[in-house]
Amino acid sequence: DSTLLPQFSSFKNFRRHLLVLKSFSFIAFLIFTSVVSLICFSPGEIVVNEVNFVRKCINAEGSQDDLWGKLICTNFKVSFIPQDAPLKQLSHLLFGEHDIPLTCLEQVVTVNDTKGKKKVLGSNKKLKFNPTELILYSKDLRIIRFCFDQAGPESAKKVCLAIAHYSHPADLQLLFGFEYQGRRYHECKGERVKGATPRGGIHTPIFDRPSDWDREIKRTGASEWRVCAINEGYAISSSLPEYAVVPVSLADQDLKNYSVFFLDNRIPLWCWNHPNGSALVRMANICDPLQQRKIEQKIFTAITKSHPQRCDVIKLDLDKFLPNIQDIQAAFVKIRQICVIDAFEESEERWLSSIENSRWIEHVRAFLKFSADVIFHLDGNNISVVLQEEEDRDLNCVVSSLAQLMLDPHYRSIIGFQSLVQKEWVMAGHRFLDRCNHLNKSDKEESPLFMLFLDCVWQMMNQYPAAFEFTEAYLTVLSDSMWIPLFSTFLFNSSKQRAQYFMDFAKNKAIPQGEDHVVYFPPVWNWSQQFSNKDLTLFNNPMYVGKGAACVQNGEVKTFKRTKKTYSSTLRGTPASLRNGVKDSEDTLPRRGSLVSELKSLTPVKDESPSERFYREWFARPVDQHGLLIPLLMPSHMALWKLFFLRWVSEACISGGGPITTYHKLSQLVDEIDMLQSQLRQYKGPSPSTPLSSPCGPPSDQRRMYFKASSHHDPATPPDFLTSTFPFTPRGNLCRRSLQGTPISKFLNGARIWLSTETLANDTV
């Protein structure tokens, strides 16, 4: 019984009492102390240090719920192996429930209660006292506490120093991913058949080949644009990809001549083409002010020529209108402090207003609003837009991605969204290594730009839940994957840096020359490395109305079809009576008609600007899930992303409640529809191209919903394990004092974040 352990002051006394207590199973004790031998390690993973009889704190108010076990530091992660392991909800193939990757650690803090000492450990720092407690602050907002009151003091000290050392690697090549992928490549060589699964079976375009860009040009109808290879071998710019899309009218030599005037020689990059011919382009600053007007005129003239109507080009300077990376980092630190670190009782009547004062949600709204302005110019004014930022590697990534997400339904599918991230973040040279601070070298360069983008995406999903193929669980898992150093997506600052490291990596690991780097060091989009097929179905949104989604019309099962023109805001094919998945007023979002009324009352029609008229007319029409989406942008429409910010907070965990209950019912309903359709096809007989299906529907492991259709014998209530934080559990992931009746309970019941009556009265679109 683990509750007996604290009664013994030493291991010697423990053994003596163990012989006396016949009811205690000695065999179980041996299994407990040797449990590390049963752990399944990843290829290349080794144990660096370990300590027994460690107590993981579950609740700071008492130790009755604490877990006893072994704390292990490997070259990949920190593992805690409890004596009695609880059942996991989301089974990660790389981590146990109590594991945390070393790259996810932000601070390693040791405490000695008897001496009143506390120290933050770094890579080369010494520890002069024996720690009685270890606190791990993680980048995914967990706070994990371990107590060493029954552990050997020297062993506890060594494991703390090992965790601090391995969480601060001196070089990128020391990250575990390089060892892991090298071992994995050779171990799986026999399973791969050359040419059988191109690019390791990954369907997401990587945009490191001209063919990926060619397909994107054809998909968007950008006939006046071409793939350019002047940066092949990174001959022009170290931060641009080898291949980019440029206007047909610009010759390669002209681009080479112009590149020297741009910061880091970054020539303007094509992002996307509207069906009306307008283009979205991103650009760095021009270094020489004397040459700025001349170079811009030449670039803009080429963009104008690419437009069928030769329409003008507008340049939008993001540095002037949006918060900088330091502002975004400061806001994130504040909201993390409020949601995770501070006890709720310490901000008793100010919790909700503190969320507002952090300015995080204000920044999210600012980026969404700016992106909506880009939409107005592209879709409403039919003119091309050039997004300008000093280096074109931070704010431009957010705005260009959001604009395309609003305009193009392809990017609202899982594969499309992943290709968007790959194109506008990874290949465009976002500094993931510096912004994520993987090497813990410079806090000044750290900024959660990608996290802010995901929050913006969630805001749109929250307002238009039927328009996205993926779920908020997918977005949360994607954010967590930034801290797993096994995938190439979030490890590097640029394509050139990635290529250089891959060259050395392939040479050191004896990987044949010419082997595809996607095979030997895959991106994060190979989700089968992290989750089982069943768990991956949690990414699927049952409400999604996408291409090929089924509907019933006149008693027949049909599928939705969209044409190229449905990108345009001028076409709306859905009856006004169908909400198409737009959330109604029950979620504090006003009905579309009420928003139009507010717009009319705020601005008379005769005085409204072209952009106001564009938004008013758009909101007056029913939403087309396959067309343009514009988020509601008043402050009261912005919400806190609860699953991300509050998933480890036990006070926020609602048993049998939250959005997961709706997801559970909808998944069962969709699964039942899928089963009925399968049986209907079986009844009508298979077509030549359709294989014969089972009378009972597809096998369970091939069905696309996580929750399967219930039978008549199943209970009507949701399963007991469903909570508002599903598929995550706060147990042991955030140890702090708990207090009932705090403002968070009001928030969870739907209270607005923006409490100020003055703020609400001054709501503007």
Side-chain angles (χ1 to χ4, degrees):
D1 187 352
S2 60
T3 57
L4 297 175
L5 290 176
Q7 300 176 14
F8 304 107
S9 59
S10 68
F11 182 70
K12 186 175 180 181
N13 290 337
F14 174 68
R15 290 187 61 191
R16 184 164 59 248
H17 282 81
L18 185 63
L19 295 174
V20 177
L21 296 174
K22 296 182 180 180
S23 61
F24 193 95
S25 171
F26 186 65
I27 296 177
F29 169 73
L30 290 177
I31 294 174
F32 166 53
T33 55
S34 62
V35 70
V36 68
S37 63
L38 302 177
I39 303 172
C40 182
F41 292 110
S42 299
E45 187 176 7
I46 58 172
V47 174
V48 177
N49 246 304
E50 60 186 59
V51 57
N52 288 308
F53 304 111
V54 176
R55 177 164 55 90
K56 182 178 182 179
C57 300
I58 303 299
N59 189 340
E61 293 183 344
S63 60
Q64 65 274 11
D65 296 325
D66 292 350
L67 300 175
W68 288 86
K70 179 189 288 282
L71 183 64
I72 303 170
C73 175
T74 75
N75 56 341
F76 174 37
K77 61 181 183 283
V78 177
S79 289
F80 177 74
I81 314 300
Q83 179 182 1
D84 301 312
L87 182 66
K88 293 187 293 183
Q89 293 186 356
L90 183 64
S91 299
H92 205 290
L93 301 181
L94 299 171
F95 303 105
E97 184 179 2
H98 301 280
D99 295 351
I100 183 169
L102 292 165
T103 44
C104 189
L105 295 180
E106 186 161 28
Q107 273 194 347
V108 179
V109 180
T110 51
V111 179
N112 186 303
D113 289 329
T114 56
K115 296 183 179 181
K117 293 184 177 181
K118 182 178 181 180
K119 185 171 185 178
V120 179
L121 293 181
S123 179
N124 298 315
K125 290 187 178 180
K126 296 181 180 180
L127 188 59
K128 296 182 180 179
F129 58 84
N130 292 325
T132 59
E133 187 175 324
L134 171 68
I135 307 174
L136 302 178
Y137 293 88
S138 73
K139 295 177 182 178
D140 63 358
L141 309 189
R142 284 184 280 179
I143 302 176
I144 303 174
R145 295 175 58 216
F146 300 101
C147 291
F148 303 122
D149 40 7
Q150 299 298 324
E154 282 300 317
S155 297
K157 186 175 182 179
K158 287 179 180 179
V159 80
C160 291
L161 290 171
I163 292 171
H165 176 75
Y166 279 87
S167 62
H168 292 74
D171 185 77
L172 187 61
Q173 285 185 320
L174 296 177
L175 291 177
F176 177 69
F178 289 89
E179 181 65 26
Y180 170 81
Q181 295 296 0
R183 295 284 189 94
R184 179 182 167 274
Y185 173 82
H186 290 289
E187 289 180 7
C188 300
K189 186 180 292 185
E191 301 175 9
R192 292 191 299 269
V193 180
K194 191 171 184 180
T197 53
R199 315 222 77 176
I202 295 176
H203 301 292
T204 300
I206 305 300
F207 292 100
D208 59 346
R209 296 176 175 179
S211 56
D212 289 341
W213 292 104
D214 275 326
R215 279 190 290 270
E216 190 70 1
I217 289 173
K218 292 176 182 176
R219 191 188 69 80
T220 59
S223 58
E224 295 299 314
W225 296 79
R226 66 180 179 88
V227 180
C228 171
I230 63 170
N231 199 42
E232 205 164 27
Y234 306 100
I236 301 295
S237 173
S238 61
S239 62
L240 284 179
E242 289 189 278
Y243 307 100
V245 177
V246 298
V248 169
S249 60
L250 276 180
D252 284 359
Q253 189 57 47
D254 291 334
L255 287 166
K256 290 179 182 179
N257 296 336
Y258 301 156
S259 67
V260 298
F261 296 103
F262 288 94
L263 198 66
D264 194 23
N265 295 353
R266 286 180 66 95
I267 60 173
L269 294 176
W270 172 88
C271 301
W272 186 80
N273 238 62
H274 195 286
N276 63 24
S278 58
L280 179 63
V281 180
R282 52 190 293 176
M283 184 176 79
N285 283 357
I286 295 174
C287 304
D288 188 353
L290 298 178
Q291 296 291 329
Q292 181 173 350
R293 181 181 294 272
K294 176 184 174 181
I295 300 301
E296 281 186 354
Q297 185 177 8
K298 291 182 180 294
I299 296 293
F300 293 175
T301 299
I303 297 174
T304 299
K305 288 181 179 179
S306 71
H307 198 293
Q309 285 81 43
R310 301 295 191 265
C311 293
D312 291 334
V313 176
I314 184 171
K315 183 183 73 172
L316 302 177
D317 191 339
L318 276 65
D319 291 319
K320 290 183 179 179
F321 300 104
L322 289 172
N324 58 38
I325 62 171
Q326 290 80 19
D327 294 334
I328 295 168
Q329 172 68 2
F332 186 75
V333 169
K334 288 178 182 177
I335 197 169
R336 178 178 59 188
Q337 181 81 25
I338 296 163
C339 292
V340 178
I341 299 176
D342 288 345
F344 290 127
E345 66 267 29
E346 293 177 3
S347 54
E348 182 67 35
E349 296 179 355
R350 299 285 301 167
W351 192 84
L352 296 176
S353 57
S354 296
I355 294 291
E356 177 185 356
N357 293 335
S358 73
R359 304 193 69 184
W360 173 260
I361 296 178
E362 178 184 330
H363 293 338
V364 169
R365 176 178 178 256
F367 276 89
L368 286 169
K369 189 176 188 302
F370 195 93
S371 302
D373 291 339
V374 174
I375 302 308
F376 162 67
H377 293 298
L378 288 167
D379 192 88
N381 276 352
N382 192 22
I383 60 176
S384 296
V385 175
V386 175
L387 303 174
Q388 186 175 44
E389 182 197 5
E390 182 179 4
E391 293 186 338
D392 180 34
R393 303 176 70 178
D394 289 310
L395 309 183
N396 269 359
C397 297
V398 181
V399 174
S400 64
S401 300
L402 288 175
Q404 293 172 72
L405 196 72
M406 295 176 187
L407 283 161
D408 193 339
H410 169 69
Y411 295 126
R412 301 195 284 264
S413 67
I414 292 177
I415 294 295
F417 182 77
Q418 293 175 172
S419 71
L420 180 67
V421 173
Q422 193 69 32
K423 176 167 67 81
E424 298 299 328
W425 291 80
V426 180
M427 300 311 293
H430 179 66
R431 290 191 180 92
F432 278 109
L433 179 62
D434 293 340
R435 297 297 178 250
C436 296
N437 202 10
H438 286 313
L439 302 182
N440 290 305
K441 285 187 175 180
S442 176
D443 293 340
K444 294 180 180 179
E445 294 294 323
E446 186 174 357
S447 185
L449 268 299
F450 190 68
M451 184 60 237
L452 179 125
F453 165 65
L454 294 181
D455 200 332
C456 291
V457 176
W458 179 83
Q459 300 290 340
M460 291 186 62
M461 290 174 57
N462 191 44
Q463 296 183 22
Y464 303 103
F468 294 83
E469 184 181 14
F470 45 87
T471 61
E472 64 173 328
Y474 167 82
L475 293 180
T476 310
V477 167
L478 181 58
S479 72
D480 290 344
S481 298
M482 284 193 291
W483 318 119
I484 303 176
L486 306 186
F487 314 108
S488 62
T489 309
F490 304 118
L491 280 187
F492 305 98
N493 283 334
S494 65
S495 298
K496 182 179 180 180
Q497 185 186 49
R498 184 180 300 104
Q500 289 173 335
Y501 274 96
F502 282 173
M503 188 182 300
D504 296 337
F505 169 73
K507 184 178 179 180
N508 295 336
K509 299 301 180 183
I511 295 173
Q513 190 174 4
E515 178 69 276
D516 189 354
H517 69 86
V518 174
V519 174
Y520 64 75
F521 211 123
V524 72
W525 317 126
N526 186 2
W527 292 108
S528 61
Q529 288 194 58
Q530 296 193 59
F531 303 103
S532 66
N533 289 334
K534 174 178 170 55
D535 285 337
L536 287 177
T537 57
L538 280 171
F539 294 174
N540 299 331
N541 177 14
M543 298 178 66
Y544 177 56
V545 182
K547 187 178 180 180
C551 68
V552 178
Q553 184 175 338
N554 296 329
E556 295 184 9
V557 178
K558 296 188 176 182
T559 57
F560 289 106
K561 294 182 180 179
R562 62 175 173 85
T563 62
K564 188 176 176 182
K565 289 185 178 180
T566 55
Y567 292 129
S568 173
S569 66
T570 59
L571 295 179
R572 302 278 181 252
T574 310
S577 59
L578 297 179
R579 303 283 306 166
N580 254 355
V582 180
K583 285 196 173 182
D584 57 24
S585 56
E586 291 180 358
D587 289 296
T588 72
L589 296 178
R591 294 177 299 182
R592 301 178 64 81
S594 66
L595 177 61
V596 173
S597 300
E598 291 180 43
L599 286 170
K600 288 180 178 179
S601 63
L602 287 171
T603 308
V605 175
K606 63 178 181 179
D607 295 329
E608 67 183 354
S609 66
S611 62
E612 290 170 336
R613 182 170 62 254
F614 171 77
Y615 295 132
R616 180 176 57 81
E617 291 176 353
W618 188 88
F619 280 110
R621 292 188 289 265
V623 179
D624 178 8
Q625 303 292 332
H626 305 144
L628 173 66
L629 290 184
I630 300 177
L632 299 167
L633 292 171
M634 287 186 285
S636 55
H637 296 137
M638 298 293 104
L640 180 70
W641 185 5
K642 301 175 191 176
L643 186 65
F644 177 80
F645 285 104
L646 301 176
R647 56 180 160 155
W648 312 124
V649 182
S650 58
E651 297 93 332
C653 183
I654 306 172
S655 180
I660 189 61
T661 55
T662 304
Y663 179 85
H664 169 253
K665 290 296 183 185
L666 286 171
S667 297
Q668 287 185 318
L669 184 60
V670 169
D671 186 62
E672 186 173 0
I673 292 172
D674 288 345
M675 297 281 288
L676 292 172
Q677 287 181 344
S678 177
Q679 293 175 16
L680 185 61
R681 287 192 295 269
Q682 175 74 15
Y683 174 76
K684 291 183 176 180
S687 64
S689 61
T690 306
L692 191 66
S693 58
S694 166
C696 298
S700 178
D701 59 348
Q702 295 180 13
R703 285 148 72 177
R704 59 191 179 99
M705 290 294 112
Y706 184 82
F707 296 106
K708 305 300 185 288
S710 59
S711 67
H712 298 294
H713 304 290
D714 293 336
T717 57
D720 294 336
F721 62 82
L722 282 188
T723 67
S724 57
T725 62
F726 183 89
F728 308 98
T729 173
R731 177 177 169 84
N733 286 314
L734 185 63
C735 184
R736 68 180 185 195
R737 296 178 64 189
S738 174
L739 191 69
Q740 301 294 328
T742 56
I744 194 172
S745 60
K746 302 175 185 178
F747 166 69
L748 292 171
N749 288 325
R752 288 179 172 179
I753 292 173
W754 305 79
L755 293 182
S756 168
T757 54
E758 181 180 356
T759 301
L760 290 172
N762 294 329
D763 272 357
T764 57
V765 176

